[in-house]
Every structure is written in structure tokens, then in C-alpha cells.
Amino acid sequence: MSDFEKRVVQARRKWNLIQESKIPVIYVGTATCGIAAGALDVVKSVRQTLKETGIKARLVQVGCIGPCYLEPLMDIVVPGRPRISYGPVNSRSARTIIERYLIEGNPASDLAVGHFSTNGNAPDSIPRFFDIPMLKPQVRVVLRNCGFIDPDDIDHYLANDGYRGLTKALGMTPEEVIAVVKEAGLRGRGGAGFPTFKKWEICRGAPGTTKYMICNSSEGDPGAFMNRALIESDPHCVLEGLLIAAYAIGADHGYIYINSDYLLAIARLKSAVKQMRQYGLLGQHILDSGFSFDVTIKEGAGAFVCGEETALIGSIEGRRGMPKARPPFPAIAGLFGKPTIINNVETLGTLPNIMRHGASWYRQFGIQGNYGTKTFSLVGKVRRGGLIEVPLGIKLREIIFDIGGGTWRKFKAVQTGGPSGGCLSEEFLDIQVAYESMTAAGSIMGSGGMIVMDEDTCAVDLALYFLNFTQKESCGKCSPCRVGTWQMVKILENIVKGQADSADIARLQTLAEAVQRVSLCGLGQTAPNPVLTTLRYFRGEYLQHVNEKYCAATICKELVEYFIEPGKCNGCQQCIRVCPTEAISGAKTEPHTIDLSRCIKCKACFEVCRFDPLAANAIVMRSERRAS
């Protein structure tokens, strides 16, 4: 038995000690989403409760299982009973659940989200976790371990067939590995959807013995967190994929380029790399094969443009992250002038599954030409937000309404592909989520950001928001992007202020099409997408802004006025306390008034009047149509 197989045996014993534990096991999700919701307080409460009650139990910290809207999630397994998940919990409810379940024997069904039983031994009052509406339509391939294993423990990964994809690949020739990936139909998950095997073939066939493999973890889209969550929850699946890809192209060194503000993900990557060295999975003659490989974690400053391949390479080389004209493509002349492959985190996280189960297994998911699954961060005005994984070909409607639970108010649009993507209206809810169909609709798949909007969203303001982002992230190298996006921002600013006319809309469209057509890199070429799609599908809103000085969503400040309904105002003075400009006045219990000349439209009074229990929801925002 090889040293690696001995490691696997030990890992399975260790894993089984948890699965067949004689004492209860408590799992807490401590990825960034859980921590932001208070998971570390829950961990502290669990430890304190166990100490004070004298209950013997094991605590395991895991990653994100997906439904971030339920975070913090805490699961409990009592010996002989199924794992039950509770959420959202806090330090107080965590204690209550532990006392009820582990002392009184009551599984606290009223606080449970779901169970993980497969043999029917769960309480009837608790649904199966993967049958809850958000999870039932999903397929977990890349995310299979997320929420189940301790991401800081390589043995958990090994015990769940970790690195079996690598061992299988090492038993094949690199050409055979590439053939498997080709047969699987895997396309890059970074956004472009380029066939993975094609890049690999080009690189492998490129002259030279020094080649590089890079994992692109430069996730900078607003609202996107798929890659971060995967690394935080299952770093070894990405690293295993990196090794498989490196073996296939003939690279002996690789880089993981990751945003420096992804602190938890970086910490878990470093821990994982350290463990890989201890287990002989990095260095010379990995697993007694002829394959040698090592990896460097390179922290980037988080510039959005560094998601572009040549800009990313420049950043690793120590230069300013700016795109370069292609050809030559990185697969021919990339990092330090050597053949280089750059694959996205999710692409790499998919590879171990393909190698372990085979191409045919992978092709059962998705549709022809778009095989497999795709992860998305589902956010915005959706009821159930979080990290999801779905088969390609699923309809947008299924993602937004079946998985996400729809919107709180009437659905308006969905932005796919992040700031470089497009804003799709209700008429596109039944299109399939696939590379070609998304492009045909004027958007892109992107790396997986999906922002849902309801009727309270202004399409013009939305376009301005995303264009502001890409304009500030432009490296400035080419004029169309540097100057063109700046001019577009200025036009949009005039529109939301009610200072534009219909000719400005025409100028905006012409400029957007020019920037899209002649910019040097993907950032500039896709930056106009939010503008062009909102012009295409929400042109009426642009016309309302310029012709009637009217914003139906009451978002554009210059087109909105605030007033207080005297008949509803109870004179609680809550609005007076929060107004930063002292624009509101009125005696206690008497109706208040707003001095519009002093009002800066910060919305503070509106919010407190809506939600404070003492207030009467008497403040109204309105935009009135005016003749131009």
C-alpha cells in the first residue's frame, strides 16, 4: 500500500469517528456569509453552553452549504439520529436548541430547517433539507462537499474521494486527460465559455519546457461570491483541479491569483497548501509519479480589470495590471513569456469530479453544448439569496422563482454576468441559462453573479451604478474605454438629474456601441452592456426621465420630493431625530412639516417613518410627471 493510500485509510477512520460518533456532533457554518451573520458568536455560545451544562459533544466548523439567507446555520447530529439543521440561529437560540435537543431529547422541530436522513428515521415534522424549495431544483457537483467537511482538514477531503481525480489522471497520459475533458464538454466557467480542452491542447503543444498554470480567483464583480465561497468551503477541490490541469498541459509551477481582501479564503488556501506538502501532493514526484508541481499564492489588489488574463499575468509579473493586445494568446506566450493556462476557480473545482466519474457522467447534466452545472451567487431583491448550483439549461424563471422564491415586490429584471453583463426584463424569464442564449439576449453568463431587481429599482440608475463601477475600474490604457465610459457616465448622470433630453439618449447609445466595438479588452467591450440592455428593454424609463422628469421607482433624488401626510403623522418626532439637516420640524403629537429647501433627500426620515414602531408611515416620496 502506498503512503497516499495509507493516508486515505487514516482519513476515513478519522471521518468515520465523526459520522459514527458516540457523542453528539454540532456543525456550524463559518464561511464569510455565516461569519457576517454572527456564526462566530454561535460557535462561542455552543462552547459556553457545552461547558456550563456538562454536555459532551464535538464541534465541527464547516463552510457554506448554500442558503445564505438562513445563516448562521447550526446542525446537530445525535447518535443514531439524522443530522438536523437549524437556522438562522443566534447565540441565544443556539443555547436553547442544544438544551432542548441534547438535554430534554426534543429535536426542536419548530426551529429546524431540515434533516439529512436517507432512511426515514427523521421526525415527520421536519422536512428533508435538500427538499426545501431553494435546494430541491439544484444539482451539487462542484459544491458537493461545501457545508459537510471541515475545509481546514485535508483528511475530511481525502475521506470523501478527495484527490481520486488526480490519482486517476496520473495513471493516464496528459493527452488522455485532455481527451476526457474534451469529451465532457467542459467550458470555462470564468464567463467566456471557451472549451477548456482547446486552451489546454494549444498550451501543451506550444514549444518550450517551462509552462505555467494559473487559477484565476480575481473575483471582483459586485454581488458575486461563488469563487470565494468555494475556496472557503472546499479549497482542496480547487487545488486538486489545479494539479490535474497542470499535469495535462505540462506545467510544473502554478499560481493562485486571489484578491487580497479575501482574507478567510486566503487563510484556508494557505492551510490547504501546507497540508498538501505534508501529504506529498506538492513538490517532486507527486504520489510517486513523474509529475512535479508547486504552487504560489499571489494576492492581488482586487482590481476588476485583473480578471482579464493578460492584466492578471502582468500583475503576477509585478507590473501594473493592464491588458495587452492579443495575439499572442497566453497559451502561447503568457506568464514571463512562457505558455500559460488561466482557468477559473469553478472550472478547476469541476475537474476532479470529471476525472473521478468520467465524461459520460458529467454530460448527464446540462444541455447539448452546455454540459454540466454552474454556480451562481443569487442576490438582490430575491427572497432566498445564497450560493446555488444548477444544471446548465435551466430557465431563469426556475432560478429566480423556484430557487430564489421570487421577489418581495413585482419582479422587474435580473442582471446576469455582473457589471459586464446585461439587464434582462421579464420577457426573458423563460430563456435557458446557457452561454449562447444569454449572449443572444444581450447579456452574458459571466462568472456567476446574478442580481435580481423588483419594481423599486430604476433601470437608469442601475445602468449608472454598473457603468460607474466599470469606469472606475478601467485601467485607462485604451481611449474608447477610458474616455468613452467616462462620457457615458456623464450623460447618465444628467439623465438621472433630469438635465438631459432625448438627443442625449441617442448619443448614449451611439457611444455605448462604439465603446463595445473598439475597446481593447473584455472590460471595455462589455462595460456598455448594462446601458445597452436597459436602453433595449427599459427605454420607456429613459424617456420618462428626459421628457417628463419622472422616475417611477422614486430612486433618482433630483426627480423625487418628500412630503408628510398631515392626516397620518402622529408627531412622534422620530424623523426629526434622524434628519441630518434639521429640515423637519413640528411639536410632539402635532403633524410635522419638511422644509424642502433644506432637505437633501437622504431617505433617513422615510425609512424611520416606515419601520419605527412609534411612527405612522406618514412620509411619502413621490416623483411627479412634468412637461418638458
Side-chain angles (χ1 to χ4, degrees):
M1 183 181 290
S2 67
D3 289 343
F4 177 73
E5 292 301 334
K6 291 176 184 174
R7 295 272 193 188
V8 173
V9 171
Q10 291 171 359
R12 286 178 177 158
R13 284 193 190 128
K14 186 175 175 181
W15 177 255
N16 289 337
L17 285 176
I18 298 176
Q19 304 308 305
E20 300 164 5
S21 174
K22 303 299 183 188
I23 61 174
V25 181
I26 301 174
Y27 298 85
V28 179
T30 54
T32 293
C33 55
I35 292 172
L40 295 184
D41 289 338
V42 173
V43 169
K44 187 177 177 183
S45 175
V46 169
R47 288 183 173 138
Q48 188 69 22
T49 303
L50 295 179
K51 182 179 179 182
E52 290 176 4
T53 59
I55 299 171
K56 289 187 177 179
R58 185 194 299 265
L59 175 63
V60 180
Q61 295 188 42
V62 295
C64 172
I65 199 168
C68 301
Y69 77 105
L70 291 173
E71 294 286 359
L73 280 158
M74 180 182 78
D75 301 356
I76 297 181
V77 183
V78 170
R81 297 184 187 177
R83 178 170 169 173
I84 297 176
S85 186
Y86 303 88
V89 297
N90 54 36
S91 55
R92 182 178 298 178
S93 61
R95 183 184 185 94
T96 299
I97 293 166
I98 291 171
E99 289 177 343
R100 285 175 63 183
Y101 198 9
L102 302 189
I103 295 178
E104 301 168 16
N106 177 352
S109 303
D110 54 317
L111 300 174
V113 174
H115 68 78
F116 296 84
S117 173
T118 54
N119 59 10
N121 64 341
D124 293 337
S125 55
I126 302 176
R128 187 170 173 271
F129 188 81
F130 285 110
D131 282 344
I132 65 175
M134 183 179 188
L135 292 162
K136 195 168 185 177
Q138 296 191 45
V139 176
R140 292 168 65 91
V141 174
V142 180
L143 304 181
R144 70 184 184 97
N145 287 328
C146 297
F148 290 99
I149 66 170
D150 180 350
D152 279 326
D153 193 334
I154 190 174
D155 287 339
H156 284 205
Y157 186 69
L158 282 181
N160 287 277
D161 294 331
Y163 291 101
R164 284 298 177 199
L166 175 65
T167 56
K168 191 171 180 181
L170 294 179
M172 304 164 71
T173 66
E175 290 77 10
E176 288 172 337
V177 173
I178 295 174
V180 170
V181 174
K182 177 182 180 180
E183 186 183 349
L186 177 64
R187 299 171 67 170
R189 296 299 192 244
F194 194 78
T196 301
F197 87 92
K198 276 191 179 178
K199 287 169 68 172
W200 289 11
E201 274 187 345
I202 294 169
C203 187
R204 177 149 192 89
T209 54
T210 301
K211 296 172 183 174
Y212 293 105
M213 185 66 219
I214 298 176
C215 170
N216 184 354
S217 310
S218 181
E219 186 178 55
D221 310 21
F225 51 84
M226 310 77 54
N227 295 343
R228 171 176 55 74
L230 180 58
I231 292 174
E232 289 177 352
S233 305
D234 192 9
H236 285 286
C237 82
V238 180
L239 289 161
E240 184 182 357
L242 186 71
L243 264 67
I244 292 170
Y247 175 71
I249 66 169
D252 60 10
H253 198 91
Y255 288 83
I256 299 176
Y257 187 84
I258 186 167
N259 294 346
S260 59
D261 51 357
Y262 278 11
L263 300 179
L264 182 59
I266 292 169
R268 287 184 173 165
L269 270 178
K270 288 181 176 176
S271 171
V273 168
K274 183 179 178 183
Q275 292 168 345
M276 288 174 72
R277 294 192 201 288
Q278 293 169 349
Y279 279 50
L281 291 163
L282 283 177
Q284 298 295 314
H285 306 295
I286 293 171
L287 302 182
D288 299 323
S289 70
F291 174 53
S292 300
F293 184 76
D294 213 331
V295 64
T296 300
I297 298 172
K298 171 67 177 176
E299 298 180 31
F304 184 61
V305 73
C306 285
E308 198 278 340
E309 291 187 344
T310 56
L312 185 155
I313 287 172
S315 180
I316 292 178
E317 290 175 341
R319 296 181 285 107
R320 181 180 171 188
M322 299 179 80
K324 294 168 66 175
R326 296 183 289 183
F329 291 93
I332 301 295
L335 186 64
F336 305 120
K338 305 298 182 184
T340 302
I341 286 297
I342 302 166
N343 280 146
N344 161 271
V345 167
E346 185 180 343
T347 308
L348 296 176
T350 303
L351 289 171
N353 298 289
I354 293 175
M355 295 310 302
R356 199 168 54 250
H357 296 292
S360 299
W361 171 85
Y362 185 70
R363 287 168 71 99
Q364 71 177 298
F365 308 112
I367 56 176
Q368 187 172 8
N370 284 263
Y371 296 109
T373 60
K374 179 78 190 77
T375 61
F376 290 96
S377 53
L378 183 61
V379 298
K381 302 287 186 66
V382 72
R383 293 170 187 264
R384 298 190 288 261
L387 175 68
I388 67 170
E389 182 175 6
V390 293
L392 285 171
I394 191 173
K395 293 178 179 176
L396 274 175
R397 183 185 299 279
E398 295 176 81
I399 292 179
I400 295 167
F401 289 90
D402 296 347
I403 294 175
T407 50
W408 293 105
R409 294 173 66 83
K410 187 177 185 301
F411 172 82
K412 182 169 189 174
V414 58
Q415 176 81 13
T416 65
S420 299
C423 182
L424 301 179
S425 60
E426 189 172 9
E427 65 183 288
F428 293 98
L429 281 175
D430 289 317
I431 67 167
Q432 291 184 312
V433 176
Y435 291 99
E436 290 75 16
S437 57
M438 301 295 278
T439 302
S443 186
I444 58 173
M445 180 87 74
S447 59
M450 189 172 286
I451 303 173
V452 180
M453 291 157 273
D454 64 17
E455 61 184 356
D456 283 345
T457 305
C458 170
V460 186
D461 177 72
L462 176 84
L464 175 59
Y465 170 80
F466 282 120
L467 193 66
N468 248 325
F469 174 83
T470 45
Q471 195 276 325
K472 288 173 181 168
E473 293 290 335
S474 170
C475 72
K477 184 173 183 177
C478 74
S479 300
C481 180
R482 182 182 69 249
V483 182
T485 55
W486 186 84
Q487 289 290 351
M488 290 167 64
V489 166
K490 294 303 167 190
I491 294 174
L492 282 167
E493 286 177 344
N494 286 336
I495 293 175
V496 299
K497 290 177 182 174
Q499 298 173 354
D501 56 33
S502 55
D504 287 316
I505 296 179
R507 277 192 285 273
L508 178 65
Q509 177 136 13
T510 302
L511 193 52
E513 290 169 349
V515 171
Q516 186 182 59
R517 194 168 55 251
V518 298
S519 289
L520 174 63
C521 79
L523 189 149
Q525 292 161 7
T526 58
N529 282 350
V531 175
L532 289 170
T533 50
T534 49
L535 278 170
R536 187 171 168 187
Y537 305 125
F538 300 96
R539 196 176 195 87
E541 289 193 32
Y542 281 85
L543 293 172
Q544 287 174 345
H545 281 69
V546 300
N547 294 335
E548 303 174 73
K549 315 305 179 193
Y550 174 70
C551 176
T554 62
I555 294 296
C556 299
K557 287 170 62 174
E558 282 76 2
L559 307 182
V560 172
E561 289 186 345
Y562 290 65
F563 72 95
I564 299 175
E565 292 186 300
K568 293 180 69 174
C569 181
N570 61 10
C572 69
Q573 295 192 323
Q574 298 296 345
C575 55
I576 294 177
R577 293 190 180 93
V578 299
C579 179
T581 60
E582 298 181 348
I584 303 177
S585 60
K588 197 168 184 63
T589 72
E590 296 293 329
H592 301 341
T593 57
I594 299 178
D595 180 354
L596 296 181
S597 67
R598 302 177 72 175
C599 177
I600 59 172
K601 302 174 184 177
C602 65
K603 214 175 178 179
C605 61
F606 178 76
E607 296 293 342
V608 76
C609 195
R610 283 176 69 194
F611 298 114
D612 192 285
L614 296 177
N617 195 19
I619 296 181
V620 176
M621 288 194 310
R622 71 180 174 196
S623 178
E624 293 190 343
R625 299 176 191 272
R626 285 168 276 175
S628 59

